[in-house]
Amino acid sequence: MPPPAAEVAGDPPTAPSNQDQVNFSAGVLEYDYERDIVTATDDVRMLRAGQRLRADKVVWDRKTGKVVATGNIAVTNPEGDTAYGDAIELTDSLKDGLVDNMLVVLERGGRLAADRGTRSEDGTISLDRAAYTACSVVDSDGCPKEPTWKVTAVKVTYRPDRERVYYTGGQVHLFGLPSIPLPRFSHPIGEGTASGLLTPNIRYDRVNGFEVATPYLFRLAPNRKLTVTPHVYSAVLPMLQTNYEHLNELGAFSITGFGTVSRRSDDLSAGFNSSTEQAFRGYLDGVGRFQLDEHWSLSGSLRLATDRTFLRRYDISNADRLRTTVALERIDQDSYFSLAGWATQTLRVGERQGFQPVALPELDYRRRMNEGLLGGTFQFQLNTLALGRKAGQDTQRAFASARWDLRRLTNWGQEITFTGFARADAYNANDTAATEVLSYRGVEGFRSRGIGTVAVDVRWPFLGPLLGGTQRITPRLQIVASPKIENLDVPNEDARAIDLEDSNLFALNRFAGYDRWEDSSRATYGFEYNLDLPDLSIATNIGQSYRLNNRSSIFPSGTGLSGRFSDIVGRTNVRFRDFLSLTHRYRLDKDGFAVRRNEIDATVGSRDTYLLVGYLRLDRDIDDFEDLQDREELRVGGRVQFARFWSAFASGLIDLTDRSDDVFSLSDGFDPIRHRLGVQYEDDCLTLGATWRKNYRTTGDARRGSSFLLTLALKNLGR
């Protein structure tokens, strides 16, 4: 009988033509014709039907089909899991057999080690006196180390078809310390999801007492899962949280619900002492998006709470308004269509829900034409909006607009943009007397108006080298002309928060929204400076505008736009390598250069150790009816890595406002709002942390006080 096919050098073919054929390579090959035994030595490699074997020596008895491998052995199945051992006894299919001193490295993460193991033909691995860990078992120098956590058991079974590991008589060891014995349990491995318990959360706060939340995941299908999380408290009744997620060929959606029974302070406008007897309290939070075809999509969100303090009482969210939305959209290269609607639930103290608008529907259509007049670009827009309130003003609006832009470069390098804009509006308002601010009401009934604007914008960049980098200086001038517009005849629903800043200085209309339009003629001027060096980049801009006529302005005093000269606004961005990032935004009063807006955001440090600082001061002396009041606050945060795997973190928010800034402020000039302080351990397989949070303000039954959170996540175990 001739010996089997063999390759003396190189790896075996990756796909044998015959699934029953065993392909192998070896440095030395011996064949005993009489006993029909093949002996291969010196880097032996065998392949059959996706099963791979590597060893120093392999003895194959072709009569019995037994394969014995010794010395640096490794057996890999088609899924990529590799079993190592001192000696392996297999059948010639390479699928099953016994392994002494077995180590299994799973393709999707994790290791299994045992004194003895058995591989079945279906890929199942059974281990005696075994241990599992997802941690590294060697240090950075390659020396053996004890894993951060491991699971030991009398018997362990790995089912690759289910992607799950089963334990009998197991214990979890954390930092070498064993836990309470766990007679029988299992967990998934890899990146997929499987039904089972997830990592629990432990928390303590003054209001609810000790809290233990233990999520359980139900894998309903590969594209659907349900997570049920009971929250058990020591001071109040339990709360149930459920989350359902669904993915299909069109898109995905997720919906989360919370529900419990407790006392609540519901009517916050009546004071913090207004409470009810035991009542159902809950919250719904959903989001979804579906791509119907290449251009059409449907999206929506749902956010509803039973009362104003539920989210803060149970530390779910600090939101003060909840918005529910739905939108049908079509987007292509040159057009956009949206049919949308939304409703808002207020959680703010003193606000009446009946004054919150419901928008249904809002229709917005835009079309762009690139081959317009003289080579410019035309953009057309149609928009309608209907706002209804249960106890307030109702407004309906529709408009059609056209905009033309032409950009040209001169022989001297100037960039000139010509713009023409025209719009026709129609408004209808009812119950205008319900709106307290007179300038927001408009005239009762139907009103129409026309808007026309022309503008020219000139930019002249100068470019040159500096300090081994590049600098760019760009003066800019814009002239805008618009006839007088009867702004106060129509309601103001979306243009109430008025503030001059660098982002809208050169805008065609410096009002936010559509309901107010800046008329008259003006010149806006400023410059931009950019410096780009190998390790440093600086970008800054500054500008101001001047009204060219004496027509009275509809801008309220304090917005920076009420006089003929506007305030001066600017912004500076500085970035040094990956160590420093600084943004400074400001507004200077045109009379005396008093700082009306001062905003700083800075990040200093590396990815592991850093400091975040945010400071905001609004000192605009703005009219009382303006939505944005003056404010001063400080935000700080940071993280310090004080050991290889250990770090400490902290953050805080402080209200620095006093009555000189806002007559309605209750702050004394230094009023902490909330802070967080914690420590965390994180390595390649474990996250362990403790956090202390404190809220300094009471809102209904969401009382001020401290809360403590303990987190523990064993990576690749109970995800």
Side-chain angles (χ1 to χ4, degrees), residues 259-537:
T260 188
V261 173
S262 67
R263 296 174 62 88
R264 69 186 186 189
S265 295
D266 196 355
D267 185 10
L268 298 182
S269 61
F272 296 137
N273 295 323
S274 174
S275 63
T276 67
E277 296 300 326
Q278 300 281 53
F280 174 78
R281 308 180 70 183
Y283 171 59
L284 281 177
D285 188 342
V287 62
R289 182 176 180 86
F290 300 93
Q291 193 69 38
L292 306 180
D293 61 21
E294 180 183 1
H295 302 296
W296 287 93
S297 66
L298 177 66
S299 61
S301 63
L302 172 68
R303 301 185 72 193
L304 292 173
T306 55
D307 56 86
R308 302 193 184 198
T309 60
F310 176 78
L311 296 181
R312 280 165 285 185
R313 161 73 182 268
Y314 291 94
D315 201 18
I316 299 171
S317 170
N318 288 317
D320 59 1
R321 285 180 177 175
L322 303 178
R323 173 176 278 199
T324 298
T325 66
V326 62
L328 176 66
E329 295 178 296
R330 186 187 188 280
I331 304 174
D332 61 28
Q333 184 175 355
D334 294 312
S335 68
Y336 171 78
F337 170 82
S338 171
L339 182 63
W342 69 85
T344 302
Q345 179 184 4
T346 182
L347 305 181
R348 293 183 176 184
V349 175
E351 280 192 350
R352 292 181 57 188
Q353 180 61 40
F355 287 163
Q356 304 306 309
V358 175
L360 192 67
E362 181 190 32
L363 186 149
D364 191 40
Y365 175 74
R366 307 180 193 191
R367 180 75 181 179
R368 181 177 60 194
M369 298 176 59
N370 293 320
E371 299 299 329
L373 178 66
L374 301 177
T377 299
F378 272 107
Q379 179 174 295
F380 302 95
Q381 182 179 7
L382 295 173
N383 182 281
T384 66
L385 174 65
L387 294 178
R389 294 177 175 86
K390 184 177 180 180
Q393 177 175 329
D394 298 333
T395 302
Q396 297 86 43
R397 178 193 71 202
F399 69 78
S401 69
R403 175 169 176 161
W404 170 76
D405 291 285
L406 175 65
R407 177 178 175 270
R408 288 290 182 263
L409 296 176
T410 69
N411 295 332
W412 299 295
Q414 297 151 331
E415 178 187 352
I416 304 178
T417 302
F418 300 94
T419 301
F421 180 83
R423 198 176 90 189
D425 298 346
Y427 281 82
N428 184 55
N430 303 105
D431 299 326
T432 57
T435 300
E436 295 182 1
V437 180
L438 184 62
S439 62
Y440 292 168
R441 294 178 179 178
V443 177
E444 185 89 9
F446 179 82
R447 288 283 169 171
S448 62
R449 68 175 177 181
I451 297 173
T453 299
V454 293
V456 58
D457 194 322
V458 181
R459 299 161 57 98
W460 195 353
F462 295 89
L463 187 69
L466 180 68
L467 302 175
T470 304
Q471 67 172 336
R472 184 173 70 253
I473 302 175
T474 308
R476 184 175 181 181
L477 173 66
Q478 179 194 61
I479 305 294
V480 179
S482 182
K484 185 177 182 180
I485 299 170
E486 299 299 331
N487 278 292
L488 298 181
D489 287 350
V490 301
N492 182 4
E493 297 280 5
D494 63 5
R496 300 180 179 183
I498 312 160
D499 200 13
L500 177 65
E501 53 188 31
D502 64 284
S503 61
N504 64 6
L505 176 64
F506 288 91
L508 209 60
N509 177 36
R510 270 125 24 137
F511 279 100
Y514 298 109
D515 293 336
R516 291 290 180 265
W517 188 270
E518 185 177 0
D519 54 13
S520 76
S521 300
R522 66 181 184 273
T524 306
Y525 43 86
F527 79 91
E528 303 170 3
Y529 178 79
N530 297 84
L531 175 63
D532 293 302
L533 302 176
D535 295 324
L536 176 68
S537 65

Side-chain angles (χ1 to χ4, degrees), residues 27 36 57 59 134 221 263 265 329 442 457 497 543 549 645 697 699:
D36 199 10
K57 181 180 179 180
V59 178
R263 296 174 62 88
S265 295
E329 295 178 296
D457 194 322
N549 53 45
F645 300 119
R697 296 189 174 180
T699 305

